[in-house]
Amino acid sequence: LAAPEPFVTGFLTPLLQEFGAHPALAVIDLINEPEWILHASVPGGYGDKMEGGRAPVQADGYRRYVRAASAAIRTETKGRVRVTIGTSMKHHQTVTDAEILPHVDFVEGHWYPWMDFDRRHGLGVWAQDMQQAAGGKPMLLGEYPTAGKNVVPVSQYLRDAQQQGFA
């Protein structure tokens, strides 16, 4: 991510030139849950606190990647394909940061029961926090549990998400 130009010119742009007009391509998620690799100096990032010796991505590299990739997508698809970044609702600052938010068309949040760590931080609490930070951009609930303990039906998540302001 520190040097996005080779990725954008060598891969993303040719990919979009070949498939960017295909009707099945509607959205590109630039990076799924970037908080896992972002240095703690990046709003929402905590990659430097993880075990395993990963080299965390700094703010300038992440922001440069988001700007370059979103510009290529908009240019090559003439604005038809939407851009987002999927992130844990708990770490939504990786998308709602003032230097990132202008480059996405909507905010995609991921929610799991572990985020309700004190029985007071359910989907609604995180949704309100994310909605305030999203500056009026549409929100999409992009990940939620569908298997395992205490899982509610998908239809219930969708109703809850819609009630909380998600698109």
Side-chain angles (χ1 to χ4, degrees), residues 2-133:
E5 294 77 16
F7 170 78
V8 170
T9 59
F11 176 76
L12 184 59
T13 298
L15 177 77
L16 293 167
Q17 289 169 344
E18 182 70 26
F19 300 106
H22 195 284
L25 183 60
V27 176
I28 293 179
D29 182 344
L30 295 179
I31 182 170
N32 185 57
E33 298 188 0
E35 60 270 18
W36 287 98
I37 62 165
L38 294 175
H39 189 272
S41 63
V42 180
Y46 61 91
D48 61 321
K49 297 175 184 170
M50 296 181 65
E51 295 179 28
R54 288 185 175 173
V57 174
Q58 301 293 323
D60 60 335
Y62 174 59
R63 290 173 177 148
R64 207 167 37 251
Y65 164 72
V66 170
R67 283 192 304 268
S70 65
I73 293 165
R74 291 183 193 338
T75 298
E76 295 301 329
T77 69
K78 298 174 181 52
R80 188 189 67 77
V81 173
R82 301 290 175 226
V83 177
T84 193
I85 298 172
T87 188
S88 160
M89 292 174 74
K90 186 174 179 183
H91 299 279
H92 66 76
Q93 301 89 345
T94 59
V95 181
T96 59
D97 174 67
E99 293 188 49
I100 299 297
L101 192 58
H103 302 286
V104 299
D105 295 302
F106 62 92
V107 177
E108 180 193 335
H110 303 167
W111 187 85
Y112 291 91
W114 65 263
M115 294 176 187
D116 190 6
F117 55 89
D118 61 2
R119 309 293 294 163
R120 293 186 307 227
H121 283 83
L123 175 60
V125 172
W126 292 115
Q128 289 173 352
D129 187 46
M130 194 170 170
Q131 190 171 45
Q132 288 174 349

